[in-house]
Amino acid sequence: MSIAENLNQIKNTLLPTVDLVAVSKTKPSSFIEEAYAAGQRIFGENRPQEMKSKAEELPKDIEWHMIGHLQSKKTKYIAPFVSLIHSVDKLSLLQEINKRAAQNERVINVLLQVFIAKEESKFGMDEQEVEELLSSEDFKALENICVVGLMGMATNTNDENVVRGEFKDLKILFDSIKNSTIPAHINMEKFTVLSMGMSGDYKIAMEEGSNMIRIGSSIFGSRD
Ligand SMILES: *Cc1c(COP(=O)(O)O)cnc(C)c1O
């Protein structure tokens, strides 16, 4: 099947409230052009320099989402144009994004990445770290970032109940922030995004309240 056919097949299964991030990491720009021609405008990358060079050569109305772990020192490559950073996991990174956003005279939208999986080696904050961060004075002082939601990755397992339980936990945390059960220095009108679900688990994620899914291999084929 072609990229356009894959995209259409996935779009047909999406609830109208869900945004699709086409994860094009490691894939050539020609693949992105194919998806773009089929109407896709949001693309996800996980390497800052790769995102930068693709953004330079591809159409300017593409929304670029950083989905992978971001090292502070590489923030500068994407700060001028990135539309959403999904993977913020500490205050020092937020401060660097804030600084680079200010230099570019813009506000950068970010999601906080929450650790929900049972397995090791996934990045993200736990619930308590999220609460501490959002209620801190250091966070309050950042004027060039806007926290618009949360992101999480479930355990890589065939056990649907484990995956569903992890997504449920993230939705509960999202709702607690949204309903101010957890105190947070956030503009609640803008706090709207719950990014969860990939090729293997996005249907479960949607059932559990996701409104942004990140799909790579089901659109572009498997990665090496
Ligand atoms: C690579 C990646 C995806 C896409 O994974 P697929 O299984 O190919 O759909 C989604 N989210 C993050 C954070 C990723 O790193």
Side-chain angles (χ1 to χ4, degrees), residues 155-165 204:
T155 303
N156 185 11
T157 169
N158 291 326
D159 188 339
E160 215 186 286
N161 291 324
V162 170
V163 171
R164 190 178 294 283
I204 304 172

Side-chain angles (χ1 to χ4, degrees), residues 73-218:
K73 64 178 183 200
K74 298 198 171 167
T75 304
K76 59 176 184 275
Y77 296 117
I78 60 170
F81 67 92
V82 69
S83 59
L84 182 61
I85 301 175
H86 289 234
S87 43
V88 174
D89 60 358
K90 50 179 171 303
L91 178 66
S92 58
L93 177 57
L94 267 181
Q95 287 167 328
E96 176 67 16
I97 296 169
N98 187 70
K99 182 178 114 188
R100 297 294 178 184
Q103 283 172 357
N104 286 279
E105 295 176 357
R106 60 189 298 244
V107 171
I108 296 181
N109 288 336
V110 304
L111 306 176
L112 299 182
Q113 183 169 357
V114 184
F115 179 90
I116 53 173
K118 302 290 176 283
E119 58 198 351
E120 302 283 320
S121 89
K122 290 261 157 83
F123 294 102
M125 293 181 276
D126 65 25
E127 212 177 300
Q128 199 187 336
E129 288 169 324
V130 171
E131 293 189 31
E132 281 170 14
L133 175 74
L134 293 179
S135 58
S136 73
E137 290 301 312
D138 287 339
F139 172 71
K140 195 180 171 187
L142 305 176
E143 295 189 333
N144 291 77
I145 54 113
C146 182
V147 174
V148 299
L150 302 178
M151 183 274 242
M153 289 169 83
T155 303
N156 185 11
T157 169
N158 291 326
D159 188 339
E160 215 186 286
N161 291 324
V162 170
V163 171
R164 190 178 294 283
E166 291 169 358
F167 287 148
K168 268 190 207 303
D169 287 345
L170 188 57
K171 176 67 160 69
I172 290 169
L173 178 61
F174 179 82
D175 288 340
S176 323
I177 295 169
K178 189 87 200 151
N179 303 326
S180 302
T181 315
I182 293 172
H185 302 301
I186 282 183
N187 178 348
M188 286 308 163
E189 269 168 36
K190 295 189 175 160
F191 190 81
T192 55
V193 179
L194 184 54
S195 167
M196 54 184 199
M198 322 188 352
S199 292
D201 57 19
Y202 79 91
K203 287 182 182 156
I204 304 172
M206 278 195 307
E207 286 164 11
E208 298 306 329
S210 169
N211 58 21
M212 187 172 281
I213 59 170
R214 311 174 309 269
I215 309 280
S217 46
S218 292

